[in-house]
């Protein structure tokens, strides 16, 4: 078994117009969530599903503002990662949103220049348009 070794999870960021200076800033907030997955799973009694939310700073070296008026290097990001067992994606609260009607614009409709289809989340999950109940639940909660 190899010995643990120190390494930098942050990517080097060239600073300035020439890029000769290097900085190391946190590139994404989610990295810490995935790095701490095993610890978080253990804290949840090794039971899934569970979610982790965090807010933090992330950094980019944006030289071109890309259609924006402001060149930003520092961003505040908030994200939630929700982990489910790959074979157990049912959600106990899906029934609360299953009858919610949505206009869904699936790939076949887009490719054939057809209009969006209205259906309930329950129908979308049953037909496979929405992959599983857990995803359907969160679609319904954020709609």
């Amino acid at each position: 078994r190899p010995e643990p070794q120190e390494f930098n999870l942050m990517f080097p960021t060239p600073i300035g117009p020439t890029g000769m200076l290097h900085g190391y800033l946190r590139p994404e907030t989610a990295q810490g969530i995935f790095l701490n997955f095993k610890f978080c799973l253990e804290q949840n009694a090794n039971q899934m599903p569970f979610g982790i939310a965090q807010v933090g700073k992330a950094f980019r070296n944006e030289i071109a503002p890309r259609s924006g008026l402001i060149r930003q290097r520092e961003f505040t990001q908030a994200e939630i990662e929700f982990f489910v067992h790959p074979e157990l994606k049912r959600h106990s609260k899906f029934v609360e949103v299953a009858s919610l009607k949505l206009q869904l614009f699936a790939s076949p409709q887009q490719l054939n220049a057809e209009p969006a289809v209205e259906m309930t989340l329950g129908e979308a999950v049953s037909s496979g348009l929405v992959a599983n109940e857990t995803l359907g639940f969160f679609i319904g909660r954020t709609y």
Side-chain angles (χ1 to χ4, degrees):
R1 189 172 178 171
E3 287 294 314
Q5 64 184 30
E6 188 175 319
F7 63 95
N8 192 344
L9 290 172
M10 296 181 278
F11 306 109
T13 301
I15 298 174
T18 64
M20 298 304 289
L21 298 172
H22 290 280
Y24 294 89
L25 301 171
R26 180 185 193 183
E28 295 293 337
T29 54
Q31 277 183 326
I33 290 175
F34 293 109
L35 282 173
N36 292 317
F37 171 79
K38 183 178 182 295
F39 174 76
C40 293
L41 179 63
E42 290 167 353
Q43 297 305 304
N44 201 48
N46 289 313
Q47 299 292 313
M48 284 204 258
F50 69 93
I52 304 169
Q54 72 173 3
V55 177
K57 298 282 186 193
F59 301 88
R60 307 280 191 290
N61 188 18
E62 296 289 333
I63 299 299
R66 293 193 177 76
S67 303
L69 298 175
I70 300 172
R71 175 181 165 189
Q72 282 190 297
R73 290 185 179 189
E74 179 181 314
F75 302 87
T76 299
Q77 293 180 327
E79 48 200 327
I80 299 171
E81 298 293 338
F82 191 78
F83 298 96
V84 295
H85 190 284
E87 297 168 6
L88 306 172
K89 294 183 181 179
R90 295 185 64 88
H91 197 287
S92 61
K93 294 184 178 182
F94 179 67
V95 295
E96 296 175 12
V97 297
S99 62
L100 182 64
K101 284 190 175 183
L102 301 173
Q103 285 197 2
L104 301 173
F105 199 37
S107 179
Q109 281 80 31
Q110 293 179 43
L111 292 172
N112 294 322
E114 296 172 356
V117 175
E118 185 175 279
M119 66 174 67
T120 67
L121 270 174
E123 293 167 339
V125 169
S126 294
S127 70
L129 182 58
V130 172
N132 57 65
E133 287 185 4
T134 297
L135 183 57
F137 173 75
F138 285 108
I139 290 172
R141 290 289 305 208
T142 56
Y143 176 70

